[in-house]
Amino acid sequence: MSEGRMEPVEEVSRAPFQVMASVAARAEWTTRALVMGGALGALLAVTNVYTGLKTGFWESGCVLSALLAFGGLSALGRRSAPPSLLETNLSQTTAVSVGAMPASAGLLGTVPALALMGMQPSSGAVAAWGLGLGTLGVLFAFALRRRLLEDEALPFPTGVATAELISALHTVDSAYATRTRGLWRSGLVSALVVWLKDARGLIPPASLLPATVRVGGLGADSLMLGVGWSPMLLGIGSLVGLQTGLSLVLGGLLGWCGLAPWLVHTGRVAAGDLSSWLLLPGVGLMVGASIASLLPLVRSLPSMVGDMRGLGAGRGGGWESTAGRWVIRGVVPLALVALVWGAPSFGLGPVHLVLALALAFPLCSVCARATGQSDLAPMSSVGQLTQVGFGVVAPGQLGLNVAASGVVSGAASHTSASLWSFQAGRRLGASVSRQFLAQLAGLSLGAAVAVPSFFLLVSTHGLGTPALPAPTAQQFKVFAELTSRGLEGLPPGSARALGLGLVLGVVLSAVARARLARVLPSAVALGLGMILPPFMSVTICLGAVLTFAVGRLKPSAAPSMQAVGMGAILGESALGVLIAALISLGVIAPG
């Protein structure tokens, strides 16, 4: 969900590639590789801002950027040398770093949560904040790389899948055409639908059931029951899978068709306030799932004490020794200066900033290990764990609570994304130093693209609206209120619903092991289904059902369906931001 990846991981071999010595000598650090990675990363960053504010999902982009980088570099190589395997990998490394900036800068959680609380940081402060946290995340990944990828040999399956794809693209002539045929077509169709919907008003945002259809005495239209006209939502469904899609619909049914009519009928909540009430049990489910996923990882904390030794001490010699000293003396101070400059806009004083930074590395290590073992990066979970700590240290300070969690979750997002790329590079024989520099180089471009896109979308559509529900921000905001104020001021009966959701989230996540994991609903998706408008959940589920059906009837078409989903997401996101810019400039009127 909001944990930092949507792309499904194909079944891949765990054995490292047999890399020829000549491969390592091929071109890698080239201008075209960096430019292509930056361009794809910019598109990915815009997409992540758009989809994150709409649905809470964001895409790591490892597999997608590798696919598109190969196509772009091959086109450029027609007039010169064809791209090498390592150039494609460097492009995807750069793109992933650029694309992760929305999460590192807190544009999906921390910043909109503060805005909803009336504490909007300035764009300059947000950019500095993202650069500082993104830099720390890359440094943490570099420091953890040897221990997690080599000593402990954690799989990081997305990194493995990325390496497998790059290898296939450079050895099988038809691999690129097979995977991208549907991507480009669906992207164009998606863009056309969004233009007709948002710029021309010829297509409604959703087809809702009429008011004559009653659910517990309420009109179906007031409950937002129906199907959304959104290729992006269908594309998300094709990537998250059938279990998540069905869990979203189940959460929507429980909340909007079960609890909502009862709440209105008993007079506990007015029809117009249902979203605020249902937010509480939804967040409870999501937080409960986070607690269950974090508890087993606490045992690994003692082993993290020595994880930074290789960076500062230069363990291993050679480039790593020189780079370690250069990073400690140069890059780290610059990152800290950026954080110190941006911290006042987030309500963080010097003492609290130091405390949040002290928590960042151990909790990023927890997140990285979870990513390596499960391929799911629990950034929100470690952020909420930080909120609990600051709720005790600084009770009643909501903005401080949210901002502190953003320090940890922001750095953790780039830690996990960078380790996926490091794993792909390790299996392909790439230069660690060049990947590291490419990741650092991508941070500035990510901030330059993601921050303006966020403020443009918010100024055009507003936050907490049906156009931009910002579910992750709502989750951070509610959890800050709970950890800082307790249960005072909550809507009637919502405290009990929150507690029940919390318990159910813990139980579902705890028992969802081995065989049960495939049959039980996802606690995170259940909670998100209560927060999102039901037509969004239904549309995502339709995409998941369609992809599942095609995969069963024609398994060879599964990769093409995933590419179609990626294209739908990219097409709507890119044109959605463009339309918002045109509306803001007065070129067109809202559709």
Side-chain angles (χ1 to χ4, degrees), residues 262 268 277 280-281 487 490-503:
W262 175 76
R268 287 176 167 81
W277 198 98
L280 275 299
L487 303 179
L490 294 182
S494 61
R496 182 177 300 177
L498 174 69
L500 290 174
L502 190 71
V503 172

Side-chain angles (χ1 to χ4, degrees), residues 45-71:
V46 170
T47 300
N48 283 337
V49 172
Y50 190 82
T51 58
L53 290 175
K54 272 188 171 286
T55 66
F57 292 92
W58 70 277
E59 173 64 71
S60 67
C62 296
V63 172
L64 175 63
S65 57
L67 182 66
L68 296 180
F70 173 80

Side-chain angles (χ1 to χ4, degrees), residues 196-202 583 589-591:
L196 295 175
K197 179 181 63 173
D198 294 345
R200 294 299 180 213
L202 300 178
I583 292 174

